[in-house]
Amino acid sequence: MPTMLKTDNSTQPQSAAQAPAVPSAKTKSSHGDKATTAKGGTGRRKRAVAQVRITSGSGKVVINKVEKVLPDYVLEPLKLVGETNKWDISILVAGGGYASQPMAIRLGLARALIDLNPDFKPTLKHAGFLTRDARERERKKYGLKSARRAPQFAKR
């Protein structure tokens, strides 16, 4: 299906194969070329999923298209490797709650930093930022009131 791209104040149909690549969305470039790279990582915690993209910038954080300030413990991976205020962070997060979303963001940020520079991996791994917490909510079983709570027992 042809897409409509706006060029020189006119619209011309172009196929997806002819569409020019956007340089800021490049993900396979060299690690030294910060101006045109966007590195990403995915973090999960309970039901929360965070897609984190980092691009060179001034330290701006955008979560679900709204600029916000993150708590310090979420930005700890950046502080540990000394990359604070060098990157703009764009985050899409869904699911989970107030506790699990920031932890998913932190894991995604650590993974994005490794995508940016593999030399950060030993430092981040030793600090525990690359460990995915696998604890999930246990499902309810039939015959029980919740996952493990049994109905009250009546002796007589």
Side-chain angles (χ1 to χ4, degrees):
M1 181 175 202
T3 59
M4 301 298 283
L5 296 176
K6 192 170 186 176
T7 56
D8 300 320
N9 294 331
S10 65
T11 56
Q12 299 172 350
Q14 290 185 350
S15 68
Q18 296 172 343
V22 179
S24 63
K26 235 198 270 187
T27 57
K28 298 289 182 185
S29 64
S30 66
H31 294 298
D33 188 15
K34 292 181 184 178
T36 60
T37 59
K39 299 296 180 176
T42 302
R44 294 181 187 88
R45 170 75 171 101
K46 293 186 181 178
R47 294 286 182 174
V49 179
Q51 296 173 331
V52 181
R53 291 179 61 88
I54 55 174
T55 54
S56 62
S58 60
K60 184 173 66 169
V61 178
V62 178
I63 301 176
N64 293 340
K65 299 181 181 178
V66 177
E67 194 167 339
K68 293 188 179 181
V69 177
L70 286 174
D72 287 340
Y73 71 94
V74 177
L75 298 175
E76 280 179 349
L78 280 174
K79 292 177 185 174
L80 184 67
V81 296
E83 297 287 319
T84 310
N85 295 331
K86 294 181 183 178
W87 302 99
D88 287 341
I89 304 169
S90 175
I91 303 164
L92 292 176
V93 64
Y98 292 109
S100 59
Q101 282 188 355
M103 298 309 285
I105 292 170
R106 186 171 82 165
L107 177 61
L109 183 59
R111 287 179 175 174
L113 286 170
I114 289 175
D115 193 23
L116 177 74
N117 186 354
D119 297 336
F120 293 152
K121 187 170 183 174
T123 308
L124 293 169
K125 187 167 184 157
H126 182 71
F129 294 131
L130 297 179
T131 304
R132 200 278 200 208
D133 192 348
R135 294 177 293 170
E136 292 274 343
R137 183 185 153 273
E138 191 173 338
R139 77 170 198 85
K140 182 196 176 300
K141 281 83 171 184
Y142 55 86
L144 300 179
K145 289 187 172 286
S146 63
R148 298 187 181 189
R149 165 99 170 80
Q152 185 172 353
F153 174 73
K155 193 167 187 180
R156 289 181 188 84

